[in-house]
Amino acid sequence: MTQKNGKKLDNTGWSRLSTLLTHSARPKPPSEGVFVNGPVTRGSTVLFPTVKDLNSNDEKRYNHELTYGAMGNDTQFSLEALIAAIEGGQHAQIVGSGLLACTFALQAFLKSGDHLLLPDSVYGPTRRFALKTLSRFGIETSFYPPLAGEEELKSFLKPNSAVIFAESPGSHTFEVQDIKMIARLAHENGAKLLLDNSWGIGAFQPFEHGVDVSIQALTKYPSGHSDVVLGAVTVADKADWKCLRDEAIYMGLCASSDDCWLTLRGLRTMALRLEKQSETAYDLAVWLKSRPEISMVRHPALPECPGHEFWKRDFHGASGVFGVELQSDVSLSAMENMLNNLHYFGIGASWGGYESLVLPTQGSITRCYKSGVPQNAAFRLQIGLESYEELRQDLERGLESLKTK
């Protein structure tokens, strides 16, 4: 079983989440009964009984009510309600991908002349968007070390710093950030804190720790079956919701009804999947740490993982994604040959589905600061629903093969 500080993980959090996911955002039963699952709602034009009703749409657009197909429908609204409940927020906006959730949220809270602070461990495409797109609109971006303490982080702030972005754990390198401290510092300086909380869905409550805007790649655990691309942005403050919702409407952002429905269906079992995947992942991480071929395992629940103390303080669980770095005498080609011959681990990007995946990360990590970046051949594991023993044996065969190279 998964352990935390020498004890089994407290899985009551997953149990509570399971109840919420089972009973929230469900169709309200009429007098003569209703299907368990709501229907897929599709449409563009919304008809109104009178011109007066047509002209009363200004407030409806903030209340998850029908106004026009591109502004949402009942299927999307149900998913938004469920995501907001999971995150502990008040409102969520569903968009077409996890990356779009990141980029659209940044656009909603930044303007020309503003300064953005990104963690150096941020998801690569978010980094690219800031440098390639936001810069064209007069928004300056700086990168801070993800484990920067309060005084160091203060040194990166400018009078025009409008947004501090966090991603905890960090992409590929899995640093867990001190979100409470970052939130306090952001608010003391009049900035918003935006968090990519995709790894921590269900295990980290962003608004309890001072986050203003929480971002989710619903492609991952919420859909859970590697067949949907979707994202969400959640807020707890009414003024933040108005800003976010207006930006979504201005940009014409909408999501597929079918993808929203599939994600709703996936969410009903997410807590059970996460509990299983997190336990298997942790057990594999502990086992991998004992192997002589391994230099470091970057799993937030392990004491040696950078920022582990913040995971221990703020999270009630862990997901099934973590990083592995091999010893310095293992070449990149030897690692690639090992990965090519794994049986249960598909080679591919993304994570959070039911199947195990492996992704080589050596050479694909862009950083301003080298601290925490793997120096040797490295890869990321996404642990699926397969049995621990079969996954362990698969990895063991692969690691043993390195001795013959």
Side-chain angles (χ1 to χ4, degrees):
M1 292 291 289
T2 311
Q3 296 185 357
K4 186 175 180 179
N5 302 329
K7 300 179 181 178
K8 291 182 180 179
L9 269 181
D10 180 3
N11 284 326
T12 56
W14 297 127
S15 298
R16 288 193 298 271
L17 180 62
S18 187
T19 301
L20 183 149
L21 293 175
T22 302
H23 291 279
S24 298
R26 292 272 301 278
K28 294 180 180 179
S31 58
E32 297 183 2
V34 65
F35 282 119
V36 169
N37 295 306
V40 179
T41 304
R42 302 183 186 90
S44 56
T45 299
V46 177
L47 298 179
F48 299 90
T50 68
V51 173
K52 181 180 179 181
D53 292 314
L54 172 67
N55 292 333
S56 66
N57 281 339
D58 282 350
E59 285 306 311
K60 285 184 177 180
R61 65 181 179 175
Y62 301 116
N63 298 327
H64 307 273
E65 296 181 61
L66 291 174
T67 58
Y68 182 68
M71 297 182 190
N73 56 54
D74 290 339
T75 307
Q76 178 177 321
F77 298 154
S78 293
L79 179 57
E80 287 170 342
L82 189 49
I83 293 299
I86 295 167
E87 294 277 74
Q90 293 298 314
H91 295 280
Q93 173 70 49
I94 304 299
V95 295
S97 71
L99 176 58
L100 182 54
C102 293
T103 59
F104 139 71
L106 286 169
Q107 286 184 243
F109 294 97
L110 288 166
K111 64 182 184 305
S112 181
D114 281 347
H115 174 239
L116 164 67
L117 267 177
L118 287 178
D120 203 27
S121 55
V122 73
Y123 177 49
T126 305
R127 185 187 200 100
R128 181 180 61 213
F129 174 77
L131 295 176
K132 300 295 185 181
T133 301
L134 291 181
S135 61
R136 293 181 10 231
F137 296 94
I139 296 168
E140 178 190 4
T141 298
S142 299
F143 296 93
Y144 66 93
L147 295 177
E150 185 168 351
E151 291 305 312
E152 184 179 9
L153 188 56
K154 279 183 180 178
S155 69
F156 288 90
L157 287 166
K158 300 182 178 184
N160 61 335
S161 296
V163 168
I164 301 179
F165 196 95
E167 183 175 330
S168 182
S171 186
H172 293 317
T173 46
F174 296 94
E175 301 94 337
V176 183
Q177 297 188 263
D178 187 351
I179 298 299
K180 288 183 177 180
M181 178 274 289
I182 299 172
R184 177 168 46 79
L185 197 58
H187 298 155
E188 287 174 355
N189 289 271
K192 296 285 186 185
L193 174 58
L194 277 60
L195 170 70
D196 185 336
N197 191 37
S198 298
W199 189 94
I201 189 167
F204 180 80
Q205 289 294 292
F207 303 105
E208 292 180 4
H209 296 85
V211 172
D212 297 297
V213 181
S214 185
I215 296 162
Q216 285 289 342
L218 303 183
T219 306
K220 315 301 186 188
Y221 290 108
S223 64
H225 292 77
S226 302
D227 54 6
V228 169
V229 177
L230 215 58
V233 184
T234 305
V235 294
D237 179 78
K238 185 176 181 181
D240 288 342
W241 170 240
K242 189 175 187 299
C243 178
L244 190 76
R245 181 63 172 152
D246 283 345
E247 188 70 17
I249 292 171
Y250 300 155
M251 294 178 67
L253 300 183
C254 55
S256 159
S257 298
D258 295 85
D259 287 345
C260 289
W261 189 90
L262 284 169
T263 303
L264 275 169
R265 185 172 68 170
L267 278 164
R268 304 305 181 188
T269 61
M270 184 181 75
L272 297 177
R273 289 185 279 107
L274 268 168
E275 182 175 0
K276 164 68 174 175
Q277 289 171 270
S278 66
E279 288 187 356
T280 305
Y282 181 83
D283 291 343
L284 285 170
V286 171
W287 173 77
L288 284 165
K289 189 173 69 165
S290 70
R291 293 288 305 192
E293 303 90 350
I294 304 300
S295 169
M296 183 176 182
V297 179
R298 289 177 170 81
H299 188 300
L302 295 179
E304 59 269 30
C305 188
H308 167 75
E309 64 271 24
F310 305 125
W311 175 84
K312 186 168 60 175
R313 183 191 71 188
D314 298 338
F315 287 70
H316 72 68
S319 84
V321 185
F322 62 95
V324 178
E325 182 176 359
L326 296 167
Q327 295 287 0
S328 59
D329 60 349
V330 179
S331 68
L332 183 60
S333 61
M335 181 192 75
E336 290 176 350
N337 185 67
M338 168 194 161
L339 301 186
N340 288 342
N341 288 286
L342 292 176
H343 179 68
Y344 290 114
F345 291 84
I347 301 173
S350 199
W351 42 269
Y354 60 86
E355 79 295 359
S356 291
L357 297 172
V358 62
L359 182 71
T361 53
Q362 180 70 13
S364 63
I365 299 175
T366 301
R367 294 287 190 272
C368 298
Y369 310 96
K370 297 304 180 184
S371 176
V373 178
Q375 301 302 304
N376 308 325
F379 54 89
R380 185 184 73 187
L381 291 175
Q382 129 76 12
I383 303 304
L385 294 172
E386 303 93 342
S387 76
Y388 163 80
E389 194 58 35
E390 285 173 303
L391 293 177
R392 185 195 63 77
Q393 290 174 3
D394 197 16
L395 289 169
E396 185 172 36
R397 285 190 294 269
L399 293 172
E400 291 290 337
S401 73
L402 294 175
K403 298 176 181 179
T404 64
K405 304 302 175 184

